[in-house]
Amino acid sequence: MEIKKIAVIGLGTLGAQIAVQAAAYGYPVRGYDRDPEIFRKTVEKVKGMMAALRKGPTVPREEWEKAVEKVTVAESLAEAVKGVDLVIEAVPEVLELKRKVFAEIDASAPREALIATNSSSIPVSRIEDATRRPEKCFNIHFYQPAVNFILCDIMGGTKTRPEFFDPVRKFIRSLDLIPLTVRKEILGFCFNSIWRAVKKQALYMWGNGFVDLKDIDRAWMSFTGMPQGPFAMMDMVGLDVVYDIEMSYYNDSKDPKDMPPAALREKIDRKELGIKTGKGFYTYPGPEWAKPNFLKGED
Ligand code: NAD
């Protein structure tokens, strides 16, 4: 099996970036979102993110811009998935919604097509039985390729056929991304579960007033040499998306330690969602973490 044509369902922050990444590497891509305007709006937000982070995609910027024009936004999900080899679902992190969308994809996509969820926390084993092809279902978890986060977690469900892993890995490598294969199901997959441990502790320390979030970011940046700390990264992901992901872990464990802090919910209620609304943990453009003396502890 070879992946030659793809469809992306949900063209928000991640779906739009996945669609453009695939188009930039020569794949015919069709996308569908229930909001027909969102693809263009998201592309503009992603450009803002590239500027704020001073990071670009894996291809030269002009090629990325040309790839935006190559993505076809379909009028229906059925039209988007017609004749493709792989469908990637990138709708919000809500299990029942993902199951509904997987069932719709299954009803319209070619029988041979693989179906993947870009979920950040839900194993595909909880979605696969919404389809009649569990042997072709995957988690393919992209990070944000437009701002050069080039990792990609890959995990199968309970019935995923082993021979489909190679074409998926080949597809991911062909996008200049690094495939990270999970051998045994785990919440959060490969690197995303490491990032989740850092994020959970950072939120706990900030949400309970132990330290100023800027000191956590400084420490992380200094220790790892990364250009942003966990709070700046969460601004990039979107605080609403972070909240849904944390709730998904909480709903799984019912452990109060997994509950995201109330202060995060309050930020979301005030529409402080991160870079996409101009304010999250920092304000944009010109966030404090990007200032020259930030690491020296000068706020
Ligand atoms: P988002 O809210 O930016 O985009 C979701 C899109 O799905 C919206 O445009 C919405 O209109 C659309 N949608 C909702 N219901 C739909 C339906 N029934 N049919 C078609 N479209 C529908 O969210 P996002 O940040 O792109 O996250 C999407 C998925 O990717 C989530 O599972 C999230 O956990 C995962 N993810 C996000 C990030 C990140 O950094 N934001 C990183 C990796 C993975």
Side-chain angles (χ1 to χ4, degrees), residues 171-247:
F171 167 68
I172 295 304
R173 279 191 209 101
S174 76
L175 303 181
D176 259 349
L177 306 177
I178 302 171
L180 307 168
T181 309
V182 176
R183 292 185 173 158
K184 193 164 105 182
E185 180 175 297
I186 178 170
L187 281 190
F189 330 120
C190 179
F191 181 71
N192 203 40
S193 77
I194 307 286
W195 156 236
R196 197 263 162 166
V198 172
K199 182 179 52 172
K200 178 183 162 189
Q201 184 67 7
L203 285 170
Y204 168 77
M205 292 179 71
W206 160 75
N208 293 285
F210 291 113
V211 286
D212 184 330
L213 66 90
K214 293 195 282 290
D215 278 338
I216 295 176
D217 273 0
R218 273 184 194 109
W220 181 261
M221 288 159 74
S222 169
F223 184 72
T224 63
M226 280 185 65
Q228 304 100 33
F231 289 94
M233 304 262 282
M234 284 189 260
D235 274 353
M236 195 177 83
V237 170
L239 270 47
D240 50 342
V241 177
V242 169
Y243 184 83
D244 284 348
I245 294 167
E246 293 309 293
M247 282 307 290

Side-chain angles (χ1 to χ4, degrees), residues 9-18 32-35 38-39 42 77 89-94 97-98 100-101 104 117-122 140-144 192 233-234 236-238 240-242 244-245 276:
I9 306 303
L11 295 172
T13 311
L14 253 289
Q17 292 189 43
I18 296 166
Y32 169 73
D33 195 292
R34 62 173 180 193
D35 174 354
I38 201 76
F39 178 65
T42 306
L77 183 148
E89 162 279 304
V91 302
E93 191 76 345
V94 177
L97 174 61
K98 289 189 181 286
K100 179 174 156 287
V101 171
E104 285 171 28
T117 175
N118 184 55
S119 169
S120 302
S121 58
I122 306 168
I140 303 183
H141 173 254
F142 292 79
Y143 291 70
Q144 299 217 18
N192 203 40
M233 304 262 282
M234 284 189 260
M236 195 177 83
V237 170
D240 50 342
V241 177
V242 169
D244 284 348
I245 294 167
K276 59 187 167 186

